[in-house]
Amino acid sequence: MPETLLTVLKFCFLALVYLFLFRVVRVVMLELKAARIPVAVPEGAPPAAAPPPAGARRTRKERAAGSLRIVEPAARAGETYPLTQEVTVGRAPGCSVVLADDTFVSQVHARVYHQGGETYVEDLGSTNGTLVNGERISGSVRIRRGDRINFGQTVAELTR
């Protein structure tokens, strides 16, 4: 092979390596930026409520709203999050339900909220999607007691 061809191939290989590194850095930067972006709430949805203080008694309305109970993985099974107004789920520290150990969950993965006396789950553009009873959802979907919601590899169940 002529030496000029080898030199051209070396430069092409070097360009591919730099392109790969550029893409890796770009993805990391986007993930870091996503952690700082507040959750976008669609128009007409109820505003986010502050979590109740530890040890506070729940009202009859809050008990009727239900809660989100982690079923899988076994290490987190039994954790319960009351659904007073809106609960955001994701790896970002600002979420109501932080699933930092689940690498299949996006920074801000989904939200669970009430509207018109019903409970809904909405995927917030997550990479791996949100599943309700094994079916991938798009947009808001009404959920009922006993429904199982997959956020990445974490499975939660709506309880009353």
Side-chain angles (χ1 to χ4, degrees):
M1 284 184 128
E3 192 156 330
T4 56
L5 179 62
L6 289 175
T7 303
V8 169
L9 288 175
K10 286 179 193 178
F11 283 116
C12 288
F13 178 73
L14 189 60
L16 286 174
V17 169
Y18 278 117
L19 180 65
F20 173 75
L21 290 175
F22 171 75
R23 298 282 310 247
V24 168
V25 169
R26 184 171 162 235
V27 167
V28 169
M29 294 304 289
L30 288 174
E31 284 291 319
L32 289 174
K33 186 190 293 185
R36 289 183 266 148
I37 296 174
V39 177
V41 179
E43 199 171 305
R57 294 184 56 94
R58 293 173 64 200
T59 64
R60 178 180 292 187
K61 185 177 178 181
E62 290 172 339
R63 283 192 301 270
S67 58
L68 203 59
R69 183 172 49 91
I70 304 292
V71 178
E72 294 176 17
R76 296 191 69 163
E79 289 181 23
T80 305
Y81 301 91
L83 298 175
T84 53
Q85 282 292 326
E86 175 180 286
V87 173
T88 54
V89 180
R91 288 192 340 246
C95 291
S96 308
V97 180
V98 179
L99 303 173
D101 52 342
D102 190 341
T103 57
F104 289 91
V105 172
S106 297
Q107 291 291 326
V108 182
H109 192 93
R111 73 181 186 117
V112 181
Y113 65 96
H114 296 290
Q115 190 172 17
E118 304 294 338
T119 306
Y120 294 87
V121 63
E122 177 183 15
D123 184 80
L124 297 175
S126 63
T127 305
N128 294 315
T130 302
L131 286 78
V132 174
N133 296 325
E135 293 185 31
R136 189 176 182 138
I137 65 168
S138 61
S140 295
V141 173
R142 181 177 172 214
I143 54 175
R144 296 177 179 84
R145 183 171 34 110
D147 283 349
R148 289 190 171 221
I149 305 125
N150 290 56
F151 307 107
Q153 293 181 327
T154 303
V155 180
E157 182 178 60
L158 182 66
T159 61
R160 296 270 182 218

